[in-house]
Amino acid sequence: MPNLRELENAMPVAPLKIVALSSAARMGSRVNDYLVEFRKSVHNDKVKSDPAFHGYSENNYLVEVDTPRFGSGEGKANFSESIRGKDLFLLVDVCNHSITYQMNGYTNHMSPDDHYQDLKRVIAACNGKAHRINVIMPFLYEGRQHKRNGRESLDCAYALKELENMGIHNFITFDAHDPRVQNSTPLSGFDNFTSPYQFIKSLLHSEEDLLVDKDHLLVISPDEGAVDRAIYFATVLGVDVGMFYKRRDYSTIVNGKNPIVAHEFLGDNIDGKDIVIIDDMISSGGSMLDTARQLKQMNARRVFICCTFGLFTDGLAAFDRAYEQGYFDKVVTTDLTYLPPEIYDKPYFVEVDMSKFVASMIDFINHDVSLSNVLATTEKIHGILEAYNNRANVEVFSN
């Protein structure tokens, strides 16, 4: 664990507890295991003797909470144990569509709206009792509806304002579609994390012959919105960057948006180079696969798709076909949202485990210690690249 000494010299805000809603049960279990391991490694006599550190080192930090549904579809939240005076971290995955409930005899799959309502129910059940409430929502609810164009709703901004009014202290998300949405709650804590270090670590783990330099690797942004993300990634790796822009038909609207006519490429020659496409999410995947296809037609050597959230809203059949046709080589995505079980059997899939990072982040927030101790992304990436290029220090991949 990074900067353990700084944690040993800090006092926790309050006893730590994790509330993993059913949508994030898998991630919550992993995070809990890491926190148990972290705190057992703290060699500090105060932890054992000082009453202020009561409950600091435990065998379990998960709190039992239930969000049952009535036959009408209404719901409630119920805690099985006291959370008075605790520093609560609520973990929710609004994109987990695998959870179902019964309503009037029908089976419904939970939507992002359902998960968001359950989150509010949990906050309502513990508000006024917990010492502090922190919400970890990796995929930002309604994050794609972050700005107003014409007569339409501002869903994401309203949701953040609503959570602020409910009394949460910190809101933590990952790779927000547009982090400027935090301007809707300027007096509340809002942290937006990215995962370039975890991406490159997992990619290097899966490929033994990558040459990370300007002559052999190029980072591509699939659209205008991901340019900043791609520029940072390319700069840290020391390679060039390119981008596609989406030419749309603004005379028609299909499913609430203007359809894409073509993807136009702007950038250097990619002949014979390995390509890393980096973006925040894969939704249906059509746009991403079309980008990969064009790159292969431009004689790219290998194409690696790196996205924080793999939603795969239209299933994996299109990815299977594209892989068989040689349009891409790997899809690298995190476990921050629900992934269909069948994806783990795909030869092209690489999972990025974010649970250790989330556990570290929770530990530092619980101590009110600067989160820069957890990040230091640029230095970490340089370190893992040096180890990879030298093939000398294999231990760096397990840290």
Side-chain angles (χ1 to χ4, degrees), residues 123-139:
I123 294 173
C126 64
N127 211 352
K129 305 173 184 66
H131 179 82
R132 190 171 67 171
I133 302 174
N134 311 275
V135 171
I136 302 176
M137 184 187 291
F139 186 92

Side-chain angles (χ1 to χ4, degrees), residues 266-315:
L266 300 174
D268 199 3
N269 178 33
I270 66 170
D271 186 21
K273 293 183 179 179
D274 289 329
I275 306 296
V276 175
I277 308 175
I278 188 161
D279 204 358
D280 59 338
M281 74 175 75
I282 296 172
S283 184
S284 64
S287 176
M288 186 67 72
L289 293 178
D290 186 54
T291 299
R293 178 184 58 80
Q294 291 191 52
L295 289 168
K296 280 290 189 176
Q297 290 175 348
M298 297 163 68
N299 202 31
R301 180 170 176 253
R302 288 178 294 185
V303 175
F304 305 104
I305 299 172
C306 294
C307 288
T308 306
F309 305 109
L311 305 183
F312 303 105
T313 56
D314 288 351

Side-chain angles (χ1 to χ4, degrees), residues 90-102:
L90 278 54
L91 187 59
V92 59
D93 174 13
V94 297
C95 292
N96 190 340
H97 60 273
S98 67
I99 301 174
T100 61
Y101 64 92
Q102 297 294 315

Side-chain angles (χ1 to χ4, degrees), residues 36-251:
V36 171
E37 178 186 338
F38 290 164
R39 296 204 165 182
K40 283 185 176 179
S41 65
V42 175
H43 301 293
N44 193 322
D45 292 337
K46 290 189 297 183
V47 173
K48 300 177 180 179
S49 59
D50 194 333
F53 285 84
H54 174 70
Y56 185 84
S57 181
E58 299 283 351
N59 293 322
N60 180 39
Y61 295 98
L62 289 169
V63 175
E64 289 189 21
V65 64
D66 191 24
T67 52
R69 296 270 176 163
F70 299 103
S72 60
E74 300 167 287
K76 67 176 182 178
N78 178 49
F79 281 94
S80 303
E81 60 184 272
S82 173
I83 43 84
R84 188 174 299 279
K86 302 298 191 292
D87 191 19
L88 292 185
F89 288 83
L90 278 54
L91 187 59
V92 59
D93 174 13
V94 297
C95 292
N96 190 340
H97 60 273
S98 67
I99 301 174
T100 61
Y101 64 92
Q102 297 294 315
M103 185 176 74
N104 295 320
Y106 294 95
T107 300
N108 283 357
H109 286 262
M110 290 188 69
S111 70
D113 292 339
D114 291 320
H115 290 300
Y116 178 62
Q117 290 297 331
D118 276 355
L119 172 66
K120 291 194 295 182
R121 292 182 178 109
V122 171
I123 294 173
C126 64
N127 211 352
K129 305 173 184 66
H131 179 82
R132 190 171 67 171
I133 302 174
N134 311 275
V135 171
I136 302 176
M137 184 187 291
F139 186 92
L140 180 57
Y141 173 70
E142 291 290 354
R144 298 163 78 178
Q145 186 53 32
H146 57 90
K147 61 183 178 181
R148 173 175 286 157
N149 291 315
R151 294 182 293 273
E152 59 185 21
S153 56
L154 276 171
D155 296 46
C156 186
Y158 182 78
L160 290 175
K161 192 67 179 176
E162 188 174 27
L163 293 178
E164 179 189 47
N165 291 338
M166 292 189 75
I168 72 166
H169 289 72
N170 296 304
F171 186 88
I172 299 104
T173 191
F174 285 80
D175 222 340
H177 199 63
D178 188 343
R180 291 175 297 182
V181 73
Q182 67 183 289
N183 294 338
S184 61
T185 55
L187 300 181
S188 294
F190 183 100
D191 289 298
N192 176 50
F193 295 103
T194 55
S195 48
Y197 168 71
Q198 287 82 6
F199 276 144
I200 193 62
K201 186 174 76 169
S202 298
L203 186 58
L204 295 181
H205 241 321
S206 66
E207 302 294 323
E208 297 181 352
D209 59 343
L210 273 177
L211 295 174
V212 185
D213 58 42
K214 288 188 175 182
D215 296 326
H216 299 91
L217 187 67
L218 189 69
V219 175
I220 295 292
S221 169
D223 55 38
E224 311 92 289
V227 171
D228 290 345
R229 188 181 294 106
I231 289 175
Y232 172 76
F233 200 67
T235 302
V236 174
L237 295 180
V239 301
D240 291 327
V241 66
M243 69 163 285
F244 282 84
Y245 73 90
K246 297 174 180 177
R247 187 151 52 86
R248 296 181 181 271
D249 180 4
Y250 289 99
S251 64

Side-chain angles (χ1 to χ4, degrees), residues 339-367:
L339 292 167
E342 60 269 23
I343 198 172
Y344 292 96
D345 297 324
K346 304 299 180 182
Y348 53 79
F349 176 66
V350 177
E351 183 184 43
V352 180
D353 186 359
M354 295 295 293
S355 54
K356 187 174 184 179
F357 176 83
V358 173
S360 299
M361 174 192 66
I362 289 174
D363 211 10
F364 276 85
I365 293 176
N366 179 241
H367 287 82

